[in-house]
Structure formats: C-alpha cells, structure tokens
Amino acid sequence: MRRFLRPGHDPVRERLKRDLFQFNKTVEHGFPHQPSALGYSPFLRLMAIGTRSGAIKLYGAPGVEFMGLHEENNTVMQIHFIPDQCQLVTLLDDNSLHLWSLKQHNGASELQEEHRFTLKGPPGSPPSATQITAVLPHSSREVLYLGTESGNVFVVELPSFRVLEDRTITSEAVLQRVPEDYCSRRSCELVEALREHPKNPDQILIGYSRGLIVLWDLQNSKVTHHFLGSQQLENLYWQRDGSKFISCHYDGSYTQWPVSNDNRQPEPLENLVPYGPFPCKAISKIYWQTTKNGLPYIIFQGGMPRASYGDRHSISVIHGSQQTAFDFTSRVIDFFIIFSSEPMAEFDDPSAMVVLAEEELVVIDLKSAGWPAVHPPYLASLHCSAITCSHHVSNIPLKLWERIISAGSKQNIHYSNMPWPIDGGTNLAPDPPQRDLLLTGHEDGTVRFWDASGVCLHLLYKLSTVRVFLTDADPNDNMNTLGEDEWPPLRKVGTFDPYSDDPRLGIQKIYLCKYSGYLAVAGTAGQVLVMELNDEDAEHVVDHAEADLLQDQEGYRWKGHEKLKTRDGPVRFEAGFQPFVLVQCQPPAVVTSLALHSEWKLVAFGTSHGFGLFDHQQKRLVFVKCTLHPSDQLALEGPLSRVKSLKKSLRQSFRRIRRSRVSSRKRRGGSGNASEVQEANAKFDQDALQEMELAPVQRKIEARSAEDSFTGFVRTLYFADTFLRDSSRHCPSLWAGTNGGTVYAFCLRVPPAERRMDEPVRAEQAKEIQLMHRAPVVGILVLDGRSTPLPEPLEVAHDLSKSPDMQGSHQLLVVSEEQFKVFTLPKVSSKLKLKLTALEGCRVRKVTVANFGSCKTNDYSENDLAVLTNLGDIQIISLPFLKLQIRYPCIRKEDVSGIASCVFTKYGQGFYLISPSEFERFSLSTRWLVEPQCVVDVPELTSNNHVHNRSGMENTTRKS
C-alpha cells in the first residue's frame, strides 16, 4: 500500500514553485488570420484590424499593440475611430455596434468594450430597414450617422447609443428635392457612403447605391445640393478644401463633382474610366490627394479590365505621368493613405499607402522615387509559404547576430528606407535581455530567421535552398519586370506566395549551432544540407554524398517520390548561409530527425527507414543503420501513397483493440475473487489514509506489437560525451530513438584536431535498448555526475557553461510517449521511472530541458523538463527525480496542428501556431516574460482647447 501513497506537500518547495513557474499567454506574433476590416486614426496614429473570428487588434509604433475580442465571435465588418478620441466603433455582421476605449485601470490600460447596441426598426419592419451599411462618426464626437439598406440615415448619440429619432434622415425627405423624372427612374436604395464636409461640419454627403448623391444640411434638415449619377455608386471622397468631391462607380469609372455656394444644378467636371474603353471592374474606393507641386495623387482600388485582369487584386496610383497598378497576391480587404492631418495644412502631401490584403500587410512609400515597399517591423506574413517546421535558438552571440542582420540587409536593398509611418504610442517595454532567433522552415524550401527577442517578430534574413536543385522555376526569374509599353502597368507587391515549385523542397528539420555558425536543414525528399555563414556572395560546387539506408535489406521497393535533381557545376549563392555539402538519403523519404555536433563536425539524420552519421569536415559517410521492421511496408510508400494503406491501418487498429480486450479478460479471470481483495484493501488503515493524500491512479501501459507500422521511424537523435562502454573512460556517442521503442547507442571515435583530416571517424554499436511497452521514443538526454544535462557543443569552450562532471556516474533519461525512464550508465540498468498519469490516454508530444530562474533572486535557477501532451497540457517535471511540479492547460486538444507546431525555448517560453499565419507566444517562467507595455497620448478635451496628457498604457490580451 505504501507505494500508492505520497508524502504531504512541502511548503518550502511550494513557495519555490510559485517563484519559478507561472503560465501566461503573452503576445500573438504574425499576421491576423482571416482579416475582415481596417481602420486608422490620424490623431492617434494607430491602425486597427478586425477579423472574421471577432478579434480586434490595434497597432502603433513597434511594440505598441492592443487586442480585444468580441464575445459574439462574429465577423468585424467595419472599424471607425471617433475623431480626436481614444475610442473606436466596430460593426459586426450581426448588425451590432460596439464601442471600445483605451482606458486606464489599476495603473495599467487595456482595450475595453464599453457599450454594444443593435439598431431596431418599428414593429413589423423588415430587417433591411435597419441593416447598417455605412457608419460616419461625426467630428463633434457626440453622434454617429448610420446609413442603412432602406436608404434611411439614423442618428445615434455617443456614448450611450441612444437613437435620436427626430434627427433621422429619411429617403422620402431626400427625394423631395430631387427632380421627379430622376425619382421615377431610380429609388434611393441602400446608403453606400457617408462623408462629412471637411470645412463645414454641418453638412454631410450621402451617397446611394443607384447613383444619387445629396449634400444634406444638418442644421436645417434639408438637401442643399443633389448630384445625379448615372452609374451604380461604390464610394465617395472629399477633396481637402471641400470645393469638390469624387465618386467612384461599379463600371470602373470615377467622377469629379463641384460643390458651389449657389443653388444651380451641379454638373460633373470630368468622368473618367482609367482602364477603358473595355468593360472594367468596379472602383470600390478612391482618394484624391493634393500636393504642393499641383499634381494630385489619384489612388483607387479596382478598375482593371474585366476580361484580362478580372482575377487581379490591384490598387492604382496615378501622379502626373507616373502610373502604377500594384498587384497583390491575395484579395485586398481595405486600404488607407497616410497624409498631413494638420487642420491648417493647405495640401494633403501623402506619404504612404497602407494596404490590408487577405494574407499580408503591404505599405508603399509614396515619397520615394519608384514608390518602393516599406519593410514592416510587425504583422509579418509568416505563412508567405506554408510553415512546415520551427526551431528556436536562445541567447545568440552578438557576432553571429550582426552577420545574420548584415546578410539580411543585402536582401532588403529594394525596400524603402522610410521610417515606419504608423508610429502612435511609445513602447515602454525594457530592452530584451538577450537575442533570440526563431527559424521557420517552409514548403517552398526556404528558411526564415526571425528576431524573437521582443514583442515584434521581425524578419532578419531569408535563406533559400532552391538553388542547389533543378526545379521548373528559374530562381533568376524576376516577376516584377515589365515591358516599357505594357498596359496596365502592373507591379507585383507583397511576399505571400503559397505555391511551391516542388513539394519535395519543403524543409522538415532545422538545426543551428550558434557558436560555430553551422546550419543543417533537411527536407521532404531525404535531402540534408550542411551550411556555413559567409559574409560575401560566392560561387562554388556543392559536394554530394548518398546514404543508402536499405543497403543490407533485400526485397524492399520504394513507392514514393523521387529524389530532387541537383545542379551540376558551381552554383552562385548570396551572402549568408551557403551550402557546402548535400547528403541524399535513399530511399528519399522525409527526414524525421536531425542533430548537428559542430565541435566534432558531425551531422546525424534519420528517416522512416533508419539513420546515418556524416562527417562534414571530411565530407564522408561514417555509417548507416537500417531500422526497418519486416512489417514496415507502409514506410516504403511515402507520403503521397498513404491513402492505399488506410484499410491496412484500420485492420491493425482493430487487432490492437481485440488483443487488449482479450488480455484484460485474462487478467480478470486469473485474479481470484477480486471483490474480496478490493474490500480488504478498502478497510485497511482507513484512519491513516484520511490523513494522507492518495497518489493519482496511473494508467497501465500496454505493450504494442512489433508488427505495428512505422516502428523503424527515427524520432530523435542525440550526441553525448558520456560513459558507454565502462565507467572509467568516456567517449563521444550517438543515440537514436525509434517509433517502436528502441534506443540505439553508438560509440564514436573522433580523431584529435591535429589528425582530424587524416584519420576517419569510426563508429561501433555499443547498446540497444528495447522498451517493453514499445512506445515511440520522443526524447533522449544524458545527465552528468551532478544530474545536470550535458552542455551544448562548444558551450563550455565559449565559457557559457560549466564543464560537465565526469567524476560521478552519468544517467540516461529516455522519454517515450507513455513514460519517462532513467537508466544508469554504462550498465543501462533501470533506476527510476514515471508513467504518464492520465485516464484520458495522455501521450507526450514534445519535450525539452528548460532553465527556470526565480523571480525573487538571481542566485537560484534549476533545470526541469517542459512537456507538451496530446491533450494540449503542459507539464513541468523535475530533474533528476521526475516529480510532476505543475500542469497548465495551454492548447485545445482538438487543435492537432497547434500541438504539432509547438516549440519550447531554453528558458521556459514557447510558441505554437494558432492559425497558419500566427504564433501564440506563452511563458512558463516568472522571470522570462515578453509582453507589450506601451503608452499612448490621450486627449483630455475641455470646452475651449485640447490638452494632451500622457497616461500609462499596458497591453492586456483578452482571450476567448
């Protein structure tokens, strides 16, 4: 009975755990998934983005971020900032309006929802009577004007959302001043646009979808001017001085209308179809921006010829003889122009165009020649090509950091040097304590290096592996080149490109050594590239080697994809990481594990067929080991023919269920009178049991059959300098863990530095451990004599870690999906184990060693295991005693892709994908916390003037 009991809580340890561990979801990196609305405040210089899931995100200067979430989770249709206020209004697709404010609360500020409101019509009226189509926050900051599908304009008081019924602008009142012949031909229909007169706040422009536009006098409640358009209206825009406005239309035309002080019928000054005479797409939004040199900027969305360019997503900019149609790779949601917002300024003088597309944010510099794009400091399109893997490296040395930035800056020469134009608020977050890199591998064969040190995930450098291989696309092709006479003058902008030239190029594993600058990447078609950092462009031949993982097997035939063809002769590479050797696995299956030891100059790789070791200094294959089981026919089919084996995998699943039922019946049948035994145990020492806490029930782990598919799948590889043969001599070793619960250990003989190029590296298998339950091995770790994990290669040489203790006995920790087990070395005898405790069938998905420091003192830190399970829970387990410290729910168990994408950092943080384009960042540590802290200039309004004061704004994130 004693083994089912555990001692009571240790109060000292409980206090220490509170000082070490704390779970927080801190910030979302990347581009919002499925954006649906865009807003901008020239006063606050803040941008707002709404999404189809009901999220609203505010962005200013780098590091200034706020987030809110509508409880309804409905699509955000429109966002409008209240003029000269820290408030904004959102319209959802359920026709509800929501008022949000940036407010200070307990010394910190957050984005709070203040009021919500749904416009209701008289009893019996159809829903269209109050379906909101246009919203105008008036400059008085007291009312909202709401245009509806019925053609009526309702007036709503702020902030109470009380409807002022006596001020409603009805379509009947509008039509009283319109000529009868026009009224008989066209009804008002829905309100398409509402615009306040830039010089006279008592007048608003109302545009109806059928083409009628009226200037309404708010004081006298009457129409002062009407403008009879003949085409379906899309949008309106006032010129700065209020003497003219522009209307844009469904047929791809725009019209300039004068606004005079007399009562004469206005006639259009000009009506143009920019890309006519053929039928064109609608112009859905337009800007007319004045400049000091007299030539206006005319900027509009759409308007392209339907027949040839109907599938393009474009925004055209015309300035004198300059004209460019910016072609976006995804649908344009909305855009705005940043221009002079000073009331006394005579001209607009636009400086930048900000475009929210469905998959990325693009900013165009309108001041510089050629109108180049601006490199965004946040809202990066992480999924410009689909993310296939991630790798995090903490505490990058300054020299390597500067070299990566230098290589990246050479790639960004075509970007504008313009400062980021959306610069509202001030970032108060302290400078990051260290430099961190997040590397993402992509489907198109690229690896992107992101600055993950702070709140903004910023792209530093992009590496492409495509040049090594022959593909259908020429990497020297420039998609932006145009002929001199090409019309329309299209220019492709943005980085989003979801189409891969060849799916075999996809990156599956990444390993970067931050001390030596060596990088290993492995891909879908069994390719393993080893690279080194070069500060200059170079042209050289990439050496090739082949690793036949089936060399000792007969009767196997690979049914999957072919290997990638390589380029012959020298290949030119840009400055940055340049490949110098390619190892091609045969069969060319997906590389499932990768390890690099830069001190020994060795790289290990594994697939579903086996694993190998390559000496990248001598460019020689050291050995290969086939792990394929005779029943692993599925491993030979490759990812593209997996469907054929559906019946087989279902049969095996049913066999496992049948076996487990039979074995459970046998256990019950051979146990005698089980009820009597249970009764006796229940009565045993009941008084003592009430005083002590029972250990949780541990699920019995059932042995898996060796016939299960993919038992030879290599899940993990690990280099260690440890005692493998005897306890007197330590040696380099390579450890490999498979899907079938087997651990292989190889002794390595690495020649000393002076003879490194003359003598070969030798390897010999020393151990083979078969876990009884045959669960997949997901992690291997060696602890030194102080029970501390062995340091990384070259970490001791750079004085960043203590030398490992080689006097005491070492221990081997093997983590399978089902349990944690500690063995002594070199005898490999079982010392300690922890079964994963969960009645729901919990399994380990990710495991790493993390260092947790106390928030109370800098003198104490400890190494623990951070574990992610298939239920989305994160468990922290102590080393070396394998005691569960704490458990946090992190990811929904239904979010399989989020769990698969999770990556832990060395200091107790982590990232996982919450959508194809967004990483959620979380922290398990009290000491290491990266979250936005910012201030925004908040206006305090008095009767006579505007007084600006500075109040602390700290972002807090609201979660569903």
Side-chain angles (χ1 to χ4, degrees):
M1 191 64 190
R2 290 182 180 277
R3 67 191 184 95
F4 290 101
L5 302 177
R6 65 182 180 189
H9 293 296
D10 178 0
V12 176
R13 180 61 189 173
E14 291 301 314
R15 279 198 302 271
L16 183 57
K17 286 198 308 193
R18 287 195 292 271
D19 295 344
L20 292 173
F21 311 124
Q22 184 181 1
F23 178 73
N24 288 288
K25 290 184 178 180
T26 55
V27 67
E28 293 175 4
H29 296 301
F31 184 76
H33 184 49
Q34 296 180 326
S36 56
L38 178 68
Y40 178 67
S41 168
F43 172 67
L44 298 175
R45 298 185 72 84
L46 292 178
M47 171 180 65
I49 295 176
T51 71
R52 284 164 61 177
S53 61
I56 179 170
K57 301 184 178 187
L58 271 62
Y59 300 92
V64 178
E65 297 184 13
F66 298 91
M67 178 183 167
L69 187 66
H70 295 88
E71 291 181 8
E72 294 81 359
N73 289 342
N74 287 73
T75 299
V76 180
M77 302 298 292
Q78 296 183 34
I79 301 174
H80 300 274
F81 281 88
I82 308 300
D84 302 341
Q85 293 284 324
C86 275
Q87 290 183 314
L88 64 153
V89 171
T90 56
L91 172 66
L92 304 191
D93 65 351
D94 64 355
N95 206 41
S96 62
L97 286 166
H98 301 255
L99 180 65
W100 296 82
S101 297
L102 283 169
K103 281 201 164 184
Q104 196 167 14
H105 178 67
N106 292 335
S109 283
E110 58 185 16
L111 185 63
Q112 292 181 348
E113 184 178 356
E114 297 228 322
H115 297 285
R116 66 188 65 189
F117 164 75
T118 301
L119 186 63
K120 294 178 181 175
S125 61
S128 61
T130 54
Q131 184 67 42
I132 300 170
T133 56
V135 180
L136 172 64
H138 194 261
S139 59
S140 65
R141 300 178 292 276
E142 295 174 355
V143 292
L144 286 178
Y145 290 90
L146 307 176
T148 62
E149 279 189 5
S150 64
N152 296 332
V153 178
F154 295 89
V155 185
V156 175
E157 193 176 48
L158 285 177
S160 64
F161 278 136
R162 183 170 64 90
V163 179
L164 305 177
E165 295 183 2
D166 58 323
R167 294 172 63 177
T168 300
I169 305 170
T170 63
S171 55
E172 291 80 9
V174 168
L175 291 174
Q176 286 177 0
R177 292 291 304 271
V178 178
E180 287 185 13
D181 60 332
Y182 189 88
C183 294
S184 61
R185 285 186 289 115
R186 297 170 183 272
S187 63
C188 283
E189 284 214 345
L190 63 86
V191 177
E192 199 70 61
L194 294 170
R195 297 287 180 265
E196 183 180 338
H197 195 293
K199 299 296 182 183
N200 184 358
D202 290 331
Q203 291 183 335
I204 61 170
L205 206 58
I206 307 173
Y208 297 91
S209 62
R210 285 289 182 92
L212 173 65
I213 306 165
V214 298
L215 189 63
W216 182 266
D217 186 340
L218 298 174
Q219 290 290 337
N220 301 310
S221 297
K222 67 176 186 177
V223 172
T224 60
H225 297 76
H226 58 266
F227 309 87
L228 306 179
S230 59
Q231 293 293 334
Q232 182 175 321
L233 181 70
E234 291 289 322
N235 221 319
L236 299 170
Y237 186 79
W238 277 106
Q239 290 191 23
R240 191 178 189 94
D241 60 1
S243 63
K244 306 182 192 72
F245 70 88
I246 314 295
S247 63
C248 55
H249 303 275
Y250 182 76
D251 66 342
S253 66
Y254 66 84
T255 306
Q256 192 173 181
W257 301 87
V259 179
S260 58
N261 293 325
D262 52 38
N263 292 325
R264 287 182 300 172
Q265 169 63 35
E267 294 293 332
L269 294 176
E270 62 173 346
N271 183 18
L272 290 176
V273 183
Y275 295 112
F278 302 107
C280 294
K281 293 174 68 177
I283 294 179
S284 55
K285 190 172 185 178
I286 192 166
Y287 281 84
W288 184 290
Q289 301 277 280
T290 57
T291 61
K292 292 175 184 174
N293 65 9
L295 294 173
Y297 277 85
I298 305 168
I299 304 168
F300 56 88
Q301 176 184 347
M304 302 292 283
R306 285 187 183 276
S308 304
Y309 301 94
D311 60 341
R312 300 297 181 99
H313 315 288
S314 68
I315 294 179
S316 299
V317 181
I318 304 172
H319 182 226
S321 60
Q322 270 186 289
Q323 181 166 348
T324 299
F326 293 99
D327 185 16
F328 298 87
T329 55
S330 57
R331 183 172 63 92
V332 174
I333 304 297
D334 201 355
F335 75 102
F336 61 83
I337 307 298
I338 297 178
F339 55 90
S340 174
S341 58
E342 290 294 326
M344 303 307 294
E346 188 177 351
F347 302 101
D348 294 309
D349 284 327
S351 58
M353 176 173 71
V354 180
V355 183
L356 176 67
E358 202 165 35
E359 305 292 352
E360 63 186 326
L361 184 82
V362 178
V363 178
I364 303 297
D365 177 2
L366 297 177
K367 287 287 190 184
S368 303
W371 299 330
V374 182
H375 195 55
Y378 49 72
L379 285 174
S381 182
L382 298 174
H383 65 316
C384 42
S385 173
I387 294 176
T388 48
C389 65
S390 305
H391 176 66
H392 188 274
V393 188
S394 300
N395 208 5
I396 302 291
L398 179 60
K399 186 175 181 181
L400 176 63
W401 186 263
E402 290 174 342
R403 293 178 70 189
I404 291 172
I405 290 176
S406 174
S409 63
K410 293 175 183 177
Q411 296 177 335
N412 295 333
I413 54 174
H414 59 281
Y415 280 106
S416 167
N417 294 322
M418 174 188 207
W420 184 244
I422 304 166
D423 54 3
T426 306
N427 180 20
L428 289 185
D431 290 335
Q434 61 185 32
R435 295 167 292 274
D436 289 354
L437 273 180
L438 180 66
L439 281 68
T440 53
H442 297 265
E443 194 178 46
D444 62 354
T446 58
V447 178
R448 285 170 169 80
F449 290 64
W450 304 92
D451 178 2
S453 313
V455 172
C456 296
L457 195 69
H458 180 60
L459 182 65
L460 298 179
Y461 164 68
K462 184 181 85 169
L463 160 71
S464 177
T465 62
V466 178
R467 288 182 178 271
V468 180
F469 306 102
L470 287 169
T471 60
D472 295 336
D474 185 352
N476 296 315
D477 285 347
N478 186 354
M479 299 175 70
N480 293 336
T481 53
L482 290 172
E484 290 183 8
D485 301 325
E486 185 165 343
W487 186 262
L490 283 167
R491 190 173 108 203
K492 192 171 282 292
V493 286
T495 59
F496 179 71
D497 183 11
Y499 307 108
S500 172
D501 298 329
D502 192 327
R504 296 174 296 172
L505 289 167
I507 305 298
Q508 297 296 331
K509 295 292 174 184
I510 307 170
Y511 198 105
L512 171 66
C513 175
K514 62 186 178 185
Y515 303 111
S516 64
Y518 282 115
L519 172 69
V521 297
T524 303
Q527 70 271 30
V528 180
L529 286 163
V530 186
M531 313 185 188
E532 58 185 343
L533 194 53
N534 190 343
D535 297 328
E536 302 295 334
D537 293 4
E539 189 172 358
H540 60 258
V541 175
V542 178
D543 290 300
H544 297 83
E546 200 159 281
D548 183 7
L549 298 172
L550 296 179
Q551 58 182 5
D552 297 329
Q553 305 289 330
E554 293 181 2
Y556 287 99
R557 186 170 63 86
W558 171 247
K559 303 174 188 175
H561 49 243
E562 295 180 354
K563 68 176 184 179
L564 285 159
K565 294 178 181 177
T566 54
R567 293 181 182 272
D568 297 326
V571 182
R572 183 158 190 82
F573 297 101
E574 298 175 339
F577 286 95
Q578 299 173 351
F580 63 88
V581 68
L582 164 67
V583 184
Q584 178 62 56
C585 298
Q586 287 289 7
V590 173
V591 177
T592 57
S593 54
L594 185 69
L596 177 72
H597 200 293
S598 48
E599 190 173 358
W600 301 337
K601 305 291 194 296
L602 299 174
V603 61
F605 48 88
T607 71
S608 54
H609 307 116
F611 60 96
L613 182 66
F614 186 80
D615 178 353
H616 66 76
Q617 184 165 357
Q618 291 188 9
K619 296 173 184 173
R620 171 184 166 272
L621 190 66
V622 179
F623 78 90
V624 293
K625 170 72 176 176
C626 181
T627 57
L628 206 60
H629 190 272
S631 66
D632 274 355
Q633 288 298 324
L634 196 57
L636 290 164
E637 294 183 2
L640 304 180
S641 58
R642 194 71 50 79
V643 179
K644 299 174 186 175
S645 300
L646 180 61
K647 291 182 180 178
K648 181 179 177 182
S649 60
L650 284 171
R651 273 199 307 272
Q652 290 169 340
S653 299
F654 283 119
R655 283 175 189 163
R656 278 200 297 272
I657 294 168
R658 200 177 300 122
R659 279 197 302 270
S660 66
R661 285 174 179 169
V662 170
S663 60
S664 63
R665 283 196 207 104
K666 287 178 180 176
R667 286 196 300 273
R668 286 198 299 269
S671 61
N673 193 342
S675 60
E676 289 181 12
V677 177
Q678 290 171 358
E679 215 173 298
N681 286 340
K683 291 178 179 177
F684 174 73
D685 205 2
Q686 288 184 356
D687 296 334
L689 290 175
Q690 288 172 0
E691 298 292 326
M692 302 184 73
E693 184 183 353
L694 280 172
V697 178
Q698 293 192 329
R699 181 171 63 91
K700 182 166 179 62
I701 297 171
E702 288 191 4
R704 306 185 186 195
S705 169
E707 296 177 2
D708 288 355
S709 294
F710 282 112
T711 55
F713 186 116
V714 179
R715 292 284 291 265
T716 183
L717 291 163
Y718 177 69
F719 285 108
D721 188 358
T722 187
F723 300 94
L724 196 53
R725 292 197 178 278
D726 55 59
S727 57
S728 59
R729 288 179 302 171
H730 57 89
C731 67
S733 63
L734 172 65
W735 300 76
T738 73
N739 220 41
T742 307
V743 177
Y744 299 94
F746 281 76
C747 277
L748 307 178
R749 184 188 172 278
V750 182
E754 61 273 12
R755 300 196 304 276
R756 183 64 179 80
M757 288 300 293
D758 302 326
E759 299 179 12
V761 174
R762 300 192 184 279
E764 183 181 354
Q765 184 170 337
K767 307 283 184 189
E768 182 174 334
I769 307 166
Q770 178 61 60
L771 301 179
M772 294 300 292
H773 57 290
R774 298 183 182 275
V777 177
V778 296
I780 298 173
L781 184 68
V782 172
L783 307 176
D784 69 6
R786 293 188 293 263
S787 297
T788 302
L790 295 182
E792 295 177 21
L794 296 174
E795 193 173 7
V796 175
H798 284 75
D799 296 326
L800 295 171
S801 175
K802 292 180 182 178
S803 297
D805 184 353
M806 293 298 184
Q807 303 303 317
S809 60
H810 285 198
Q811 301 172 78
L812 170 70
L813 171 63
V814 177
V815 181
S816 74
E817 283 189 355
E818 305 274 1
Q819 68 179 17
F820 302 80
K821 199 163 188 177
V822 175
F823 299 88
T824 60
L825 288 175
K827 291 184 177 180
V828 193
S829 56
S830 178
K831 180 180 178 182
L832 183 67
K833 68 180 175 182
L834 170 67
K835 297 175 185 176
L836 208 60
T837 304
L839 297 174
E840 299 91 346
C842 170
R843 298 187 180 203
V844 176
R845 286 289 177 258
K846 305 275 181 175
V847 62
T848 195
V849 176
N851 183 268
F852 293 93
S854 170
C855 62
K856 297 289 180 65
T857 173
N858 292 329
D859 298 332
Y860 182 80
S861 67
E862 65 180 42
N863 292 309
D864 296 290
L865 289 177
V867 179
L868 175 69
T869 73
N870 64 330
L871 302 179
D873 292 337
I874 291 178
Q875 303 181 11
I876 298 175
I877 296 171
S878 67
L879 286 174
F881 301 113
L882 302 182
K883 299 291 185 185
L884 177 63
Q885 301 300 297
I886 202 158
R887 178 190 284 113
Y888 299 112
C890 179
I891 311 173
R892 291 181 303 108
K893 65 180 179 181
E894 298 84 9
D895 187 3
V896 177
S897 60
I899 292 171
S901 66
C902 182
V903 57
F904 288 109
T905 77
K906 193 177 177 181
Y907 295 99
Q909 295 186 71
F911 303 82
Y912 68 93
L913 287 172
I914 53 174
S915 74
S917 58
E918 290 172 289
F919 274 114
E920 176 80 72
R921 188 181 193 131
F922 63 87
S923 175
L924 307 169
S925 170
T926 55
R927 185 186 292 181
W928 298 92
L929 199 65
V930 175
E931 60 181 354
Q933 295 177 7
C934 43
V935 296
V936 173
D937 290 327
V938 182
E940 286 187 357
L941 300 178
T942 61
S943 57
N944 298 322
N945 59 352
H946 296 273
V947 180
H948 290 75
N949 82 312
R950 212 172 170 90
S951 102
M953 293 274 180
E954 182 172 347
N955 182 353
T956 61
T957 306
R958 296 182 58 194
K959 299 290 177 190
S960 60

